[in-house]
Amino acid sequence: MVAPIRIQEAASFRLDEIYRYTKKHWGTRQADRYITGLFAAFDRIESHGVMSRPVPAEFGVEGYFFRYEQHFVYWRRLSDSGVGIVTILHERMHQIDRFREDFGLARPGEASPRS
């Protein structure tokens, strides 16, 4: 049985952003192709069809990430053994700050943004 894929809130927001940006700059056909490719990559997580690496330990969360073209996809195993797509960040985004925001993690010395 294939584990269900769940797109979490931050990832859903990022998918919308990616689609709108790609459509604006390269057209509907390219936007559709890119988003379809991302979802195909999500489906390959369980079969190890994408090469995922663990999220660095200093973040204090268990999760993984892989690269899809110009983006990094962050995911984690859910309590029901499903796969939760946490966020998707462009390679040029400041990865650490965005990652902390989307996982609800505070920077040292500040309160968590989701507390």
Side-chain angles (χ1 to χ4, degrees), residues 2-21:
V2 176
I5 305 290
R6 293 194 178 79
I7 310 298
Q8 297 180 326
E9 186 177 354
S12 179
F13 177 76
R14 303 272 187 235
L15 284 166
D16 289 344
E17 283 183 329
I18 292 165
Y19 186 85
R20 284 192 307 270
Y21 181 88

Side-chain angles (χ1 to χ4, degrees), residues 45-104:
I45 290 171
E46 196 66 39
S47 67
H48 305 285
V50 292
M51 183 59 124
S52 295
R53 297 188 327 207
V55 170
E58 62 263 22
F59 287 106
V61 296
E62 290 197 29
Y64 304 89
F65 68 98
F66 65 90
R67 185 181 183 117
Y68 175 79
E69 295 190 19
Q70 306 300 311
H71 288 86
F72 289 94
V73 175
Y74 292 86
W75 64 276
R76 64 179 158 202
R77 184 67 59 191
L78 301 174
S79 60
D80 66 358
S81 296
V83 170
I85 305 299
V86 177
T87 194
I88 304 157
L89 302 178
H90 191 275
E91 64 188 2
R92 288 187 303 223
M93 290 178 141
H94 192 297
Q95 299 272 329
I96 293 173
D97 285 345
R98 294 292 179 117
F99 179 83
R100 287 184 182 282
E101 287 171 19
D102 290 348
F103 266 92

